[in-house]
Amino acid sequence: ANNFAMKGKRKTLNAGDVLSAMEEMEFQRFVAPLKESLEVYRREQKGKKEARKDKDKKTDSEEQDKSREEENDDDDERMEEEEQNDDEEVDN
């Protein structure tokens, strides 16, 4: 597997390197089950990644909603304070 990676001018091994090395070393009976397992693993990881993205999107939208509510609350408080200040100025 290292030799396949070196031929590809890479320092990191990938699944293809390992599978090619196994075929070259005459371990063909292990290659098919290993490929199937790799595909299952990749699908699981992809599902987890998508679920994480969906969760992050929901969290982001909830945070935006909260921040909008807080901004509206802050605006309401400012308006109330300004009205109180206006009332005090009129009394003076």
Side-chain angles (χ1 to χ4, degrees), residues 67-88:
S67 66
R68 286 184 193 138
E69 289 174 6
E70 289 174 358
E71 287 176 4
N72 289 339
D73 290 345
D74 289 346
D75 290 344
D76 291 343
E77 288 176 10
R78 277 192 222 115
M79 291 178 76
E80 288 175 6
E81 288 176 6
E82 288 175 3
E83 288 175 0
Q84 288 176 355
N85 289 339
D86 289 345
D87 290 343
E88 289 176 4

Side-chain angles (χ1 to χ4, degrees), residues 34-46:
L34 188 58
K35 283 182 181 180
E36 290 174 17
S37 297
L38 180 61
E39 286 301 315
V40 169
Y41 172 77
R42 287 180 175 166
R43 276 188 249 125
E44 287 175 359
Q45 294 302 310
K46 187 176 180 179

Side-chain angles (χ1 to χ4, degrees), residues 11-36:
K11 292 183 179 181
T12 305
L13 295 177
N14 61 32
D17 298 331
V18 175
L19 293 172
S20 297
M22 289 180 70
E23 288 175 358
E24 186 176 299
M25 294 179 0
E26 299 179 5
F27 286 109
Q28 286 87 1
R29 64 183 178 153
F30 296 112
V31 173
L34 188 58
K35 283 182 181 180
E36 290 174 17

